[in-house]
Amino acid sequence: MAGSSWLPRWFYQLASPRWCYDITGKLLPSFFIAAILLLIVGVVWALAFAPPDYQQGNSFRIMYLHVPSAILAQSCYMLMAIAGVVGLIWKIKVADMVAYACAPIGASIAVMALATGAIWGKPTWGSWWVWDARLTSMLILLFLYMGVMALYAAMDNESMAAKAASVLSLVGLVNIPIIKYSVEWWNTLHQPATFTLTEKPAMPIEMWLPLLVMVVGFYCFFSVSLMLRLRNEIIRRERRSGWVRELVASK
Amino acid sequence: MAELCTNSAEISLGKLFSAVLRRDLLLSFRRKSDLVNPLIFFVMVATLFPLGVSPEPNFLADVAPGVVWVAALLATLLSLDGIFRSDYEDGTLEQVILSPQPLMVVCLAKVMAHWMTTGLPLALMSPLLGVMLFLPVSAMFGMVVSLLIGTLVLSLIGAIGAGLTVGLKRGGVLISLLVLPLYIPVLIFGSGAVQAAVAGLPLEGYFALLGAMLALGMVLAPFAISASVRISVSG
């Protein structure tokens, strides 16, 4: 491994539970501060200073929670599936733990995306819920998360549970492009994607910038909660190894 | 089964497929009650709707496409656990994994046998339910064809869940949690086809979409099924 230079050394070290614990311990404070700062700045900017929408008035402001959580719920699923593949192919224990840690976080973020969407839908569409393609595929995403969590809960053998959940999350990956393109393939009530980094945004820059801050803040928050869960899981699964005993004894 | 147990790798894939298929069909015809139970369940679930919601013919004709499809989906779901269960318990599955023949082909043959004993009879029986629920005769063709294609997709997807849960003592509720989210798209386009048939709209689009799902499932599901069986058996 030392010979290959195109990936930094710490990247390989992430595969070892012990080093992963150390590295995430070093990264955690900066992500924590970044998440708090970005979320506070983003929320204040979005709720108090961004201009109101000319049609929806102030009710559009829930977008600043809805869009980041919807994006993050899908990213989290991708991460879970990718970690699952890495675990399946290279048998890396840390990847299994990442996938395990992703499932409950992703499920709660998906609930948040659906709930904020419902709250936004009531004043704009006149109903909490419509059975259109985007909403339904997002609901399926939540069900997939729940299926993965149920599978983890049902299996006592951890490595077997990790493999089984990876296969399931890989199969469920088929849903991600359906969510993404549902607003283009079907004529839905849900509006098409408004937040892209590659194209000119469809909204004025004063509205778009706080959204960007919120999205980045959500990602930082996600990293913090993922790292916390991951470190917990590392300690729990490696509880019989020497370094964990030393760590516990030294505290 | 004798052909399966030989150590030579010279059996052609087609022969392997037909041997497993024949064995599984034979086994299910030896246990006729297992064969008939999903069909009885299918009819009973469809009976619940007129009794529980409304016996009004116009209303029933409106909901019939959805009811028939949901009933077929649940009947398939209930029979999924049997695909691998008995083979897992008597050790056959372990021998199949040890054999030099590809597990994927064996799994595909087992799924095919499952479909021929549940999905196929369900689809052929569905006109009976259509009559019970006042579905217009013109929509029967759309219903039977959509069920024929759709139930095979359901068997393919369901076998993944069956493979994942076969090693667990109580796989019953879990398998539905794993599989139902993946069934939703099939249900949407399947019942959509029947609704289009009721309205007299062209059906080709729905059949094409169901066929696309079937093609995708046929190609990709065997990988997932064999992986999940391998995990359950060796874990």
Side-chain angles (χ1 to χ4, degrees), chain A residues 92-228:
Chain A
I92 295 174
K93 271 192 282 180
V94 174
D96 289 349
M97 296 182 209
V98 169
Y100 178 80
C102 273
I105 306 177
S108 45
I109 297 170
V111 168
M112 188 166 154
L114 287 170
T116 51
I119 295 167
W120 195 7
K122 185 67 186 164
T124 24
W125 299 339
S127 75
W128 297 104
W129 184 264
V130 288
W131 288 100
D132 89 350
R134 176 55 79 82
L135 278 72
T136 310
S137 52
M138 201 64 197
L139 189 64
I140 295 177
L141 182 74
L142 176 63
F143 288 159
L144 286 172
Y145 274 126
M146 287 178 166
V148 170
M149 283 161 68
L151 195 56
Y152 275 122
M155 291 189 172
D156 298 326
N157 182 337
E158 273 162 359
S159 73
M160 186 176 153
K163 283 184 204 158
S166 312
V167 170
L168 183 66
S169 48
L170 267 180
V171 174
L173 206 54
V174 81
N175 188 37
I176 293 290
I178 296 180
I179 300 180
K180 173 124 174 54
Y181 292 107
S182 57
V183 284
E184 290 168 28
W185 291 344
W186 289 282
N187 194 6
T188 59
L189 197 53
H190 192 286
Q191 60 187 343
T194 43
F195 183 80
T196 51
L197 288 173
T198 48
E199 290 163 36
K200 193 178 168 297
M203 61 182 101
I205 196 85
E206 307 89 76
M207 283 163 120
W208 185 78
L209 271 181
L211 185 57
L212 179 67
V213 172
M214 285 301 280
V215 170
V216 179
F218 262 68
Y219 271 97
C220 288
F221 167 74
F222 168 68
S223 318
V224 171
S225 52
L226 178 65
M227 281 193 269
L228 286 175

Side-chain angles (χ1 to χ4, degrees), chain A residues 151 155, chain B residues 81 85 160-168 171 174-175 178 232:
Chain A
L151 195 56
M155 291 189 172
Chain B
D81 200 41
R85 178 67 65 192
I160 304 172
L164 285 175
T165 53
V166 73
L168 301 171
L174 185 65
I175 192 168
L178 304 186
S232 288

Side-chain angles (χ1 to χ4, degrees), chain B residues 201-218:
Chain B
L201 297 170
L203 297 172
E204 288 79 11
Y206 287 99
F207 289 163
L209 273 167
L210 284 172
M213 287 185 200
L214 179 59
L216 198 69
M218 273 289 191

Side-chain angles (χ1 to χ4, degrees), chain B residues 19-39:
Chain B
V20 178
L21 185 66
R22 213 170 326 119
R23 166 180 178 269
D24 271 30
L25 286 178
L26 190 64
L27 278 179
S28 22
F29 278 103
R30 294 256 167 86
R31 278 172 303 185
K32 289 210 173 55
S33 69
D34 284 5
L35 207 61
V36 182
N37 283 349
L39 299 179

Side-chain angles (χ1 to χ4, degrees), chain B residues 109-189:
Chain B
K110 291 181 95 57
V111 172
M112 203 47 106
H114 174 257
W115 177 74
M116 286 167 81
T117 49
T118 52
L120 186 63
L122 282 182
L124 296 180
M125 230 175 78
S126 61
L128 177 67
L129 265 72
V131 173
M132 275 164 68
L133 299 171
F134 302 99
L135 193 76
V137 179
S138 58
M140 295 295 181
F141 172 74
M143 181 173 69
V144 173
V145 175
S146 74
L147 278 172
L148 276 177
I149 309 173
T151 45
L152 184 51
V153 185
L154 296 183
S155 292
L156 281 165
I157 300 172
I160 304 172
L164 285 175
T165 53
V166 73
L168 301 171
K169 285 276 174 296
R170 346 159 225 102
V173 186
L174 185 65
I175 192 168
S176 35
L177 277 185
L178 304 186
V179 161
L180 275 180
L182 301 165
Y183 273 5
I184 293 174
V186 187
L187 173 71
I188 291 174
F189 291 109

